[in-house]
Structures are given as C-alpha cells and as structure tokens.
Amino acid sequence: MAAPKIFITRPIPETVLIQIQAECDVDMWHTSAILPPIAEKIPPLDGLMTYGHEPVTAEMFDTSPNLKVVSVVGVGYDHVDEDAARERGITLGHTPGVLSDTTADMTWALLLAAARNVVPAYNHVQVEKQWHYYDPNILWGYDVHHSTIGIVGMGRIGYAVAKRALAFDMKVLYYKRNRRQDWEEELGIEYTDLDHLLKVSDFVTLHVPLTEETTHMIGKVEFELMKPTAILVNIARGPVVDHGALYDALRDGQIAGAALDVTEPEPINTDHPLLDLNNLIIAPHLGSATIQTRMKMATMAMENLFAGLKDERLPYGVVQPPEL
Ligand code: NAP
C-alpha cells in the first residue's frame, strides 16, 4: 500500500519529521518567509499538518477527496473551518495543555516588560546609547505586585497566568462564560463580569479563543471602561482586539500601555500606525515558542496525524472520526 501523502506547512523539528517520514510520503514547505501554498498542495493529500495560521477552508476540502485529518501544531484552530471538516468526516486535532505554562510565561514577560519599561530601557542604553549619567527621574513604570489583574478567558492558559499572579501578591479577577468555583476556591480568585473587570483591573490579559463572539471583544467601549493607568496584554488572537480602537486608546492616554503577541493581520503591516507608538510592545507570535514546548507540540501533532490517518480517535482531537 502506498504511504499516505502529507503536507506540512512549515519546517518542524527534525526528530519529529524523521518519525513522520518513516510512515508517510512527506512534502514539507521549506521556509517561513513564503506562505505555504495550501490550496495548491491539498488535492492529493491524506493528511495536512498546519504549523502556522493560514486559513484551511471548505473550498480546499472540496478539492481533496482523500483527506482524512488536519493536524494543527498549536492549540488555537480558528484558521481551520471546523464545521466544514466535521461535515466531510475529516478529523481535526490540536495540541492543548502542553503549551499553557509556556504561553503563561510569555504573558508575564510581556506584562512585566510593559509595566517596567524594559523595551524603552533597552532602546535608551543599547540602541540610542543615551545612558550618560544616572537619572532617577526617567522610565518610571507601574507596580505589578499588589495590583489587580483581570484575566479574560480563563481556561488552561488563563489558569496558569492566575497561578503566577499569586506570587506577585496580586488580586486576581477573571471572566469567562462558565464560572469555575473550584478554581476560585483553589486559588482565591474572584469571578466578575467583563465590564467590572475592565473598570478595576491594573492589568488585563486576554486568553479567549478567536470566535465570532470574541472578535473585537475589546474595542472602543471597553477601552473607555479601563483605567488610564491600565496595561492590556493580548496573547490570544489579534482580532480579539479592535486595533483602530487600541490605537486611539494608546494615543489618547485612555490606557497606559499594551503588549501584543498577536496582531490583525499577522504579521502586522510595517506601516501600521500602531508601530509608531512608544507605549506598545509587539512580539511576533512567540507565546509557545520555546525549544522544549515546540518539540512537545510537534510530537502531539504527529500523534494526531497518525491516528487520523488510521481512522482512529485522535488523542488530542477537536473533530473525531464520525463513528467514534
Ligand atoms: P481554553 O483552555 O479553551 O481556554 C479558553 C477560555 O476562554 C475558556 O475558559 C472559555 O471559557 C473562555 N471563552 C471562550 N469563549 C469566550 C467568550 N465568548 N467570552 C469569555 N470567555 C470565553 O484555551 P487555552 O488553551 O487557554 O488557549 C486560549 C487561546 O490562546 C487559544 O485558543 C489560542 O488562540 C491562544 N493561544 C495563543 C498562543 C500564542 O502563541 N500567542 C499560544 C497558545 C494559545 P467559557 O467557555 O466558560 O467561556
């Protein structure tokens, strides 16, 4: 029997690639600099592994009669048409959990950097070479310890962010649609509605999946509720925040600062006005980007891929085979 045909949309770690190559006929897109031509590659495939966020659409599925499985290297799968996959009996897998602590660490890296002016300090000393004398009156930031953090979309990653907040003696508020009283008891955190969270939080971090409901969840009205000293961290998906409203809020001092790991579009256009603001930090979607975690994600994605090719239940499945 011929080996199943697989397309991987970006280079994955070699050790995992070798294992996939042992069982499959692998075509792996060679670069991150040019977008993978998924529509062109998909027709003969049995399996697709997406390592990136290019859309995988119903129209693409319709050109690919043998496709059994889409395996996402990542937890967010908003770029794949889940309903269209289900309707066609195509399984869909992702890599939840394994990246939660790593993404929570990056949330804190961004939050602390924004609160304590780490990027302006770097620019001052190393880029502009302006550190000629000690000046006690530059680059004052905001205290993180004993402040209030509001976690929007408290699931796996939000929970890991909350645990870290406790070490900073922070008051932790959270908002999601379904309250978790067990977590409230375990961590001593408080559930609140979104408006109240935005009004009282010194730091607001976003961890919702991108859905119709969460698209532009944070916009003009929400920024108006926030404190002028507040800092927003978006490490969820770019479109969760209305970037026009964010620009206005940062420019007009409606909030003090923001840090984004994700943007709309991605990458953000190099002439986007947000890039000219000095109270904003943007990272190029690094939430899960550590050596250890990317290895684990690739391994989980491989396990989903192999299961899907055998019509078996995916170990980390979003859409399972219809009969299971
Ligand atoms: P998760 O465990 O599913 O948590 C998501 C949380 O969001 C859930 O608790 C859910 O609770 C809540 N939620 C969903 N819709 C909501 C809504 N309309 N309003 C309020 N809360 C809502 O997912 P996770 O593993 O923590 O990952 C979260 C997201 O982070 C992913 O989907 C992905 O897009 C993003 N992410 C980004 C990076 C990065 O590199 N920047 C890395 C990993 C993940 P309820 O259902 O009770 O509302």
Side-chain angles (χ1 to χ4, degrees), residues 53 74-78 94-100 102-104 106-107 110 151-160 174-180 183 191 194 206-215 217 234-238 240 260-262 266 283-289 294 297:
H53 310 94
V75 66
Y77 51 86
D78 47 273
H94 66 152
T95 65
V98 70
L99 46 60
S100 303
T102 301
T103 308
M106 185 65 185
T107 308
L110 290 171
I151 298 175
V152 179
M154 173 121 163
R156 289 170 291 246
I157 297 169
Y159 173 87
Y174 79 97
Y175 167 70
K176 71 201 280 291
R177 293 166 304 179
N178 307 292
R179 196 171 162 175
R180 287 291 300 258
W183 285 353
Y191 182 76
L194 182 60
L206 306 179
H207 310 284
V208 289
L210 179 62
T211 62
E212 259 178 57
E213 220 180 307
T214 62
T215 300
M217 184 179 198
N234 184 14
I235 195 158
R237 285 288 181 264
V240 173
L260 310 177
D261 189 49
V262 286
E266 238 172 69
H285 204 139
L286 296 179
S288 63
R294 284 292 164 86
M297 289 164 66

Side-chain angles (χ1 to χ4, degrees), residues 9 36 78 106 147 168 239-240 277 281 286 319:
T9 62
D78 47 273
M106 185 65 185
S147 65
F168 285 85
V240 173
L277 296 174
I281 302 168
L286 296 179
V319 179

